[in-house]
Structure formats: C-alpha cells, structure tokens
Amino acid sequence: MTQRKGEKPTISIQEHMAIDVCPGPIQPIKQISDYFPRYPRGLPPTAPPPLSRTGSLRSASLNATVDILVGEDDLDQAFAGATAAPSPSTKKEEEPDVEGYDSDDSTTLGTLDFSLLYDQENNALHCTINKAKLPIPRYKKGLKPMDHNGLSDPYVKLHLLPGASKANKLRTKTLRNTLNPVWSETLTYYGITDEDMVRKTLRISVCDEDKFRHNEFIGETRIPLKKLKPNQTKNFYNCLEKQLPIDKTDDKSLEERGRIMISLKYSSQKSGLVVGIVRCAHLAAMDANGFSDPYVKTYLKPDENKKSKHKTAVKKKTLNPEFNEEFFYDIKYADLTKKTLEVTVWDYDIGKSNDFIGGVSLGINANGERLKHWFDCLKNKDKKIERWHTLTNELPGSVFSD
C-alpha cells in the first residue's frame, strides 16, 4: 500500500490492537521542585540535605540547582551515609528493652554476690548467699523478670558436682516480688573432706518459685572447690549463666546419698575394735514428707558366725540425725588386716520393707579416705579417729535387706 504525499497513514484495527499500550510500570513525572533544595521544618540550614525518592540528590545550597541525576545504587549509598550520622537534636533516646533477654551476654541473667569458706578442722563448707542484681544499663536493676508483674520470687539452691542429688541440695528462703533480692543467708555442707575439695564443684542456681507451675530457672554459676584455701573466706561476684549440662558419664552406682561420721579405735586394754556412729548429714529423703527415719547398721566381714551385726536407734523425721553410739567387736589386732567394716544407713518404715539409703565400707580393700581411715586406726592404737565418709547408693557385698 502506497502513501501519497501529505496524507496521514491509516492503521487497521488489527494493527491497532497489536500495539503494546502498556510497555512497563508508570514512572512518576519529575516536578520542578525536585531540582531545588527543600528542608524539613525544624532542621537548621547546615543539616544534611534530604534525598528525593525519585533518585535525585537535592543541593545543600538554597540558590544552586542540580542537573545531575543520581542512579539507584548511588542513591542507596548516599541515603545510607546520610542516615548513619543523624543530627543529635533529632536522635531519639533509645528505650531499654525490658523484655529483651535473648542476648548471648550472660549479664542479662543477673549477677550473684556470695562468699565461700572451707572450715578444714570441722570438715564444713560454709556458703553465704548475699544478694543478686542486674547490671546498671537495664531499665530495672535486678534479676531477669519471670512473672507477669515484671518481678520474681527468687531463691538460691546449691548442689555438689559430681554426684548431684536431692541428698546434697541446699536452698535459701524465697523472697517475694523483687528483682533485687538480699538473702544474707549461710548454708553449710557438713562432712566435706580434703578429697572433696580437690574433685568437687559447687553449683549455685538462682530460680523463681511458682506456686502453680514448675519453678523457673533464672541462671547459675559454678565454682571448683579447689579454688578455695582452707580457713580463708573468698568473696565472689559472678555473672549468672545459662543452664549448663551435667556430665552424666559418672557411674550411677556412685550417686551420693549423704555423709556419715564414723570413729574408729582399737582398744589394747579390751583387745577389740570400737566403732562409733557419730552422726549423718544431708541424707537422701526416702519418705513422701521429704524426710527419712534413719538408723545405721554395722557389720565386720567376713562374718562366719553372723554375730557382727549392730544397729543404732531410729531417729524420726530427719535428714541430719545424731546417734553418738558405739559398738564393740572382740577381735585380735592382727586379724584387722583381714577384715572389712561395712556401714549401711536405712530408712525405717512401718508395715513394709525398710529402704536402703546408702553405705560405705572401710578396710584394706577400700581406697581413698576410707582406706586411710582404716590404716590410721591400725597405726594409732587406743586413739579415737573420727572421719566423714560419703554414702553411695550401692555397697558391693552388702545385703540390701533388714
């Protein structure tokens, strides 16, 4: 089809429908104001010029015009640079995040002020729990809030590791509705030996008591007892940490069930061994009321005639009984090297079998403090030697029945 000069071209309806009338997104039409600087109300003239959303950078001068368009990448870079250093007069103060306790910084869990003293002469570890609080930069100083009212009902509990159990758990009183608890309370472990001070670690946990649900863990800290010097108080101000896993590779047969103080003396005058059951401490609770009714049995083995059994009186409803009873075994001094003293602690129950709490054996086949105690008795005739020993939940060779 030829077109004559001066004649408008004609387009068929088919060609008209084939035209792409929407080639892309509609672009905003630049206005003349985009090329002149404009400051937000309240900003001084020296403030950094704001950036246009259309990609053009406004001039810092009131009379200058900008005819250079900034690309998208340049705009992002310039916008980031401009917002990196906002004016001090417009910067809003950062509000503390009261609920934001997900930080890896352990100080968000709080800090604990306490002191430890190892009384070597009396085999006691005194733990004084003073107070707890959060670092200064927090909105509310104190512990991490656990309750809906933004407060906590905190208490502190202690465990000795390894061998943590209910038997060696101590705890403070609970303080209500506070983030800055002050306990000033001393908890004491009895029967702590030099061997314990080398291999044990004290675990101190802060928890929130809840009457209607399980108590909630707040934070913990751990102190190896070998850091302590005998008869010297050491103060600590530690950050609480998240709950650490307990090493469960320890033999479960060595689970601690309490402590017992035993005295040994070989009497040359009577030609026999005097065994004293002095007291027990931190026994495992066997009854539903959280206590036990403990008594102690002793055997000198091998016992061919089965006449070596002795038994103390039963102490009702206690985990720290004092017996102060002595038993006499008629035996030659030379025969002691062939004997083993087995001591077991039981919980007395009416109408059913008594529960085994724990036991310990002293003799030439023992080791550690138990062996040393036996040898000291043999080397020092007519001298009473008292030692604390750890009760375990299993005693090889013993009969677990009353």
Side-chain angles (χ1 to χ4, degrees):
M1 178 178 175
T2 59
Q3 180 179 347
R4 296 182 181 179
K5 188 176 181 181
E7 186 176 311
K8 293 183 179 180
T10 59
I11 302 176
S12 64
I13 186 64
Q14 291 82 3
E15 292 176 329
H16 177 75
M17 297 299 295
I19 294 177
D20 186 1
V21 296
C22 186
I26 301 175
Q27 299 294 332
I29 300 175
K30 294 183 177 60
Q31 301 178 4
I32 190 64
S33 61
D34 290 337
Y35 297 96
F36 292 91
R38 185 192 309 163
Y39 295 104
R41 184 175 300 173
L43 277 181
T46 56
L51 300 173
S52 170
R53 304 297 297 178
T54 58
S56 61
L57 182 64
R58 293 176 180 154
S59 173
S61 174
L62 289 173
N63 299 324
T65 59
V66 178
D67 55 359
I68 302 177
L69 296 179
V70 181
E72 184 177 350
D73 295 337
D74 296 333
L75 177 62
D76 294 338
Q77 183 177 359
F79 186 76
T83 57
S87 173
S89 61
T90 59
K91 182 179 179 181
K92 294 179 64 178
E93 293 184 2
E94 182 181 357
E95 295 182 0
D97 182 12
V98 180
E99 302 295 336
Y101 285 95
D102 296 331
S103 172
D104 290 334
D105 185 3
S106 61
T107 58
T108 59
L109 300 179
T111 54
L112 185 65
D113 185 343
F114 62 98
S115 63
L116 302 177
L117 169 63
Y118 173 48
D119 184 352
Q120 190 175 34
E121 182 179 356
N122 297 311
N123 296 106
L125 177 64
H126 303 288
C127 312
T128 301
I129 307 300
N130 297 320
K131 58 185 178 180
K133 66 178 181 178
L134 269 183
I136 294 176
R138 286 290 163 186
Y139 178 69
K140 288 185 179 179
K141 300 178 185 177
L143 291 175
K144 170 183 174 182
M146 304 296 289
D147 299 339
H148 295 297
N149 60 4
L151 301 174
S152 295
D153 300 325
Y155 67 93
V156 177
K157 62 180 180 179
L158 311 180
H159 285 99
L160 284 175
L161 305 176
S165 66
K166 292 183 178 179
N168 63 31
K169 183 185 80 171
L170 300 178
R171 63 164 286 174
T172 67
K173 59 187 177 183
T174 301
L175 300 181
R176 301 293 178 186
N177 297 325
T178 178
L179 296 179
N180 296 277
V182 178
W183 290 280
S184 298
E185 188 174 343
T186 299
L187 307 174
T188 302
Y189 279 107
Y190 295 99
I192 300 297
T193 64
D194 292 340
E195 182 182 356
D196 292 326
M197 296 301 295
V198 173
R199 66 184 186 91
K200 292 284 188 179
T201 296
L202 179 65
R203 178 191 183 195
I204 306 178
S205 306
V206 181
C207 301
D208 174 55
E209 186 177 284
D210 196 320
K211 293 182 178 180
F212 305 102
R213 298 179 298 175
H214 292 293
N215 296 342
E216 297 184 71
F217 174 84
I218 296 179
E220 71 170 38
T221 184
R222 299 186 184 185
I223 305 295
L225 297 185
K226 60 185 178 181
K227 289 185 176 182
L228 305 180
K229 295 181 180 180
N231 306 315
Q232 293 185 17
T233 301
K234 187 168 184 179
N235 298 313
F236 295 88
Y237 189 78
N238 289 12
C239 294
L240 298 176
E241 304 178 62
K242 296 178 181 179
Q243 193 164 15
L244 301 175
I246 297 178
D247 186 8
K248 299 192 176 182
T249 59
D250 301 331
D251 188 358
K252 292 185 178 180
S253 66
L254 298 180
E255 178 188 346
E256 293 186 9
R257 309 300 293 274
R259 305 291 174 106
I260 184 169
M261 178 181 278
I262 302 173
S263 67
L264 298 178
K265 183 181 77 171
Y266 185 81
S267 174
S268 301
Q269 184 179 0
K270 297 181 179 180
S271 298
L273 177 67
V274 180
V275 177
I277 304 300
V278 183
R279 60 180 296 193
C280 294
H282 317 301
L283 293 179
M286 308 301 291
D287 297 336
N289 59 8
F291 294 96
S292 294
D293 301 321
Y295 66 94
V296 180
K297 295 191 300 182
T298 64
Y299 293 89
L300 192 61
K301 295 186 176 182
D303 183 18
E304 297 177 357
N305 299 324
K306 297 184 179 181
K307 295 182 179 180
S308 68
K309 175 182 174 181
H310 290 284
K311 183 189 298 186
T312 69
V314 177
K315 301 297 180 179
K316 293 289 186 178
K317 200 176 179 181
T318 178
L319 300 180
N320 299 280
E322 293 190 15
F323 299 99
N324 295 313
E325 297 187 35
E326 290 186 343
F327 307 115
F328 179 77
Y329 290 99
D330 187 4
I331 185 174
K332 295 179 180 180
Y333 177 77
D335 292 339
L336 284 178
T337 57
K338 304 174 185 177
K339 295 290 185 177
T340 297
L341 178 67
E342 291 188 355
V343 181
T344 55
V345 183
W346 298 79
D347 170 51
Y348 177 75
D349 287 322
I350 300 177
K352 59 180 182 179
S353 298
N354 298 329
D355 298 320
F356 173 73
I357 296 178
V360 63
S361 60
L362 309 177
I364 57 173
N365 295 322
N367 52 40
E369 290 289 332
R370 301 179 296 279
L371 177 62
K372 187 174 184 298
H373 192 184
W374 191 256
F375 275 146
D376 288 345
C377 172
L378 298 180
K379 290 188 297 182
N380 299 277
K381 291 183 180 180
D382 302 312
K383 181 180 179 181
K384 181 187 291 187
I385 300 176
E386 292 183 346
R387 295 282 170 81
W388 282 97
H389 297 283
T390 301
L391 298 170
T392 60
N393 66 335
E394 191 171 290
L395 183 60
S398 65
V399 179
F400 295 103
S401 63
D402 192 13

